[in-house]
Amino acid sequence: MEELFDDDCFAIRQATRHVSQIYDRHLSNVGLTITQFSLMNRLKRTGPMTMKQIGEIMRMQRTTVVRTIQPLRRDGLVTSEAMGADARALLISLTDAGAKRLSEGRPHWYAAQAEFEHSFGEQRAALLRRELFAITSDSI
């Protein structure tokens, strides 16, 4: 049993699933998952990006990016257009409908954030965020 508590990967993945469930529950009110919301939020902040750029920034494999984008494209929340001659290189953009849905989702995202910080503690959550971002920073 002691070995279970020494497994960093298991602990991080278990915590990730728990926290994602909180955010997904709140964002389901606007028909989004936390991954979709995060991707759309990134597009809003940075502007159009290629699928490769999205994967790199969000630390996602290409197939995961595709699975995340497909329902957003189907629902008219993002568009994709080929860049140049290579039809495989797609530029993903947030549509006006996507920006509206993102705005509608923001209060639900804040509610999820508040729920997590209330249960975990605001200071502990801030420290956790800092440590988690340190794991994925390029300086490691």
Side-chain angles (χ1 to χ4, degrees):
M1 185 67 172
E2 207 171 293
E3 293 163 0
L4 177 64
F5 296 111
D6 291 341
D7 187 338
D8 296 326
C9 185
F10 177 79
I12 291 167
R13 290 176 63 98
Q14 183 181 45
T16 299
R17 285 188 292 273
H18 174 76
V19 174
S20 292
Q21 288 171 357
I22 293 170
Y23 282 81
D24 283 338
R25 179 170 31 84
H26 284 276
L27 288 170
S28 69
N29 292 304
V30 291
L32 295 173
T33 66
I34 187 59
T35 306
Q36 292 168 335
F37 181 86
S38 297
L39 188 148
M40 291 169 59
N41 196 43
R42 177 63 66 171
L43 290 172
K44 176 83 172 166
R45 289 193 329 232
T46 63
M49 294 191 310
T50 64
M51 302 229 331
K52 182 179 181 193
Q53 290 171 321
I54 292 168
E56 288 171 356
I57 287 173
M58 295 187 68
R59 309 279 186 181
M60 294 167 62
Q61 293 183 354
R62 182 175 171 78
T63 56
T64 305
V65 174
V66 169
R67 280 194 314 269
T68 302
I69 289 173
Q70 283 175 337
L72 297 175
R73 189 175 13 188
R74 178 196 65 221
D75 295 345
L77 304 177
V78 300
T79 59
S80 60
E81 59 183 89
M83 293 179 51
D86 187 359
R88 295 175 300 165
L90 296 176
L91 189 65
I92 309 300
S93 303
L94 189 65
T95 65
D96 290 341
K100 182 176 186 245
R101 180 82 60 91
L102 188 61
S103 292
E104 292 167 350
R106 202 164 302 286
H108 299 284
W109 183 90
Y110 284 123
Q113 185 87 353
E115 180 180 330
F116 174 71
E117 290 186 357
H118 175 76
S119 66
F120 191 66
E122 204 170 313
Q123 285 185 317
R124 287 176 68 200
L127 290 170
L128 177 64
R129 263 192 314 278
R130 187 170 64 230
E131 291 299 319
L132 292 171
F133 280 128
I135 290 171
T136 57
S137 75
D138 292 334
S139 63
I140 293 179

